[in-house]
Amino acid sequence: EIVKIIGSGEIGLLNGNFNDSKFFGPRGTVLNENLLYIADSDNKLIRIANFDTNHVTSLEPSFTSANISFGESDIFYPYDIEIYDKHIYITCPIVGELYKINLATLKLTDAFETKNTVSYPTALYVSENNLHILDSKKTRLFSVEKKATYLNSNQSTKPPSLTLTIQDISPYYSSDIISDTNYFYILDSEFSSISRIKKRSKYSEDFYRTDGARNHNLNGAKSFAKIGSKIYIANTNNHSIDVLDIYTKKLSTLNIHL
């Protein structure tokens, strides 16, 4: 059963109550307590839906990086969004950028000091204290780990440092990533498939693949989420939420009631 709808269903840019607010191409979301952060792609904004007040507002970060050249108020077509290490991370694949916004100061900077670390970042996922970044063009999975470093033998620490590891992947049109204790799951929207990577061995396999025909299994799926042994898939071109059982690999359509 659908319990909450955010937005009027009309394209535009309007803050206000959930029923009246307007978006233009909303994509990734992340929930932080009672606030849902939304990558409002074509409006080039991050929007905030407050579940306590049932109102939508727009995040207004301050731009501090000399590398950002698309206007003082633009986050250029944000695609996915996650919260990690007290920052909002935002992918902007069209311009090959990954940004972060400090939740305390609202300052927006480049996520990495080194330019061109990522080329076409499409998806983000946080698990086990790591931030995972899917780069479709480089066909790589970047993982950022926060590690404590010690100042002396008494084990006193300074602020954690971020280390970056890189792993090659096979899908060329990767649109989303999730994980559990043992595996990464990568959704390939172009080939209507899901790949799986074993975390320890780095072994990659085709986990679920379909012919992509309309009304037959996956068709242009853009995002997914995992709860227990079920993967819930936004099956975009079929206008449905489908459910994949990871043990039987049977796909069914969620029966949604208004």
Side-chain angles (χ1 to χ4, degrees), residues 25-167:
R27 290 189 178 268
T29 62
V30 62
L31 185 65
N32 185 30
E33 296 181 349
N34 65 320
L35 302 179
L36 181 69
Y37 292 85
I38 305 163
D40 193 0
S41 187
D42 289 274
N43 278 326
K44 304 176 185 177
L45 288 170
I46 302 302
R47 313 286 294 282
I48 306 172
N50 188 317
F51 286 107
D52 286 342
T53 63
N54 287 338
H55 271 67
V56 174
T57 57
S58 297
L59 188 67
E60 298 180 358
S62 59
F63 289 69
T64 60
S65 174
N67 295 322
I68 297 171
S69 58
F70 301 104
E72 292 183 358
S73 60
D74 283 353
I75 301 172
F76 211 68
Y77 297 104
Y79 197 93
D80 200 11
I81 184 171
E82 269 287 3
I83 292 177
Y84 177 73
D85 192 32
K86 300 179 182 179
H87 287 77
I88 304 170
Y89 281 77
I90 307 159
T91 65
C92 299
I94 290 178
V95 292
E97 293 287 358
L98 179 68
Y99 299 134
K100 64 180 179 181
I101 299 174
N102 186 304
L103 280 169
T105 65
L106 296 186
K107 289 184 178 180
L108 185 147
T109 59
D110 294 303
F112 300 113
E113 293 181 1
T114 305
K115 293 294 291 181
N116 301 319
T117 300
V118 293
S119 177
Y120 197 84
T122 51
L124 302 169
Y125 190 77
V126 173
S127 70
E128 300 168 353
N129 207 34
N130 292 348
L131 173 68
H132 307 290
I133 306 157
L134 202 58
D135 190 321
S136 291
K137 187 169 288 186
K138 289 187 176 181
T139 61
R140 283 182 168 179
L141 174 63
F142 295 83
S143 296
V144 180
E145 183 177 3
K146 186 168 60 174
K147 289 184 176 180
T149 53
Y150 299 101
L151 296 177
N152 52 48
S153 59
N154 294 326
Q155 302 294 292
S156 61
T157 63
K158 61 182 181 180
S161 60
L162 298 181
T163 60
L164 185 69
T165 57
I166 300 173
Q167 179 177 339

Side-chain angles (χ1 to χ4, degrees), residues 79 120 122-123 134-136 139 169-176 186-190:
Y79 197 93
Y120 197 84
T122 51
L134 202 58
D135 190 321
S136 291
T139 61
I169 58 174
S170 57
Y172 286 93
Y173 298 93
S174 307
S175 58
D176 205 2
I186 298 173
L187 181 64
D188 189 327
S189 59
E190 182 73 13

Side-chain angles (χ1 to χ4, degrees), residues 233-246:
I233 305 164
N235 205 349
T236 307
N237 294 342
N238 281 345
H239 309 290
S240 64
I241 303 297
D242 290 346
V243 185
L244 178 66
D245 187 299
I246 65 170

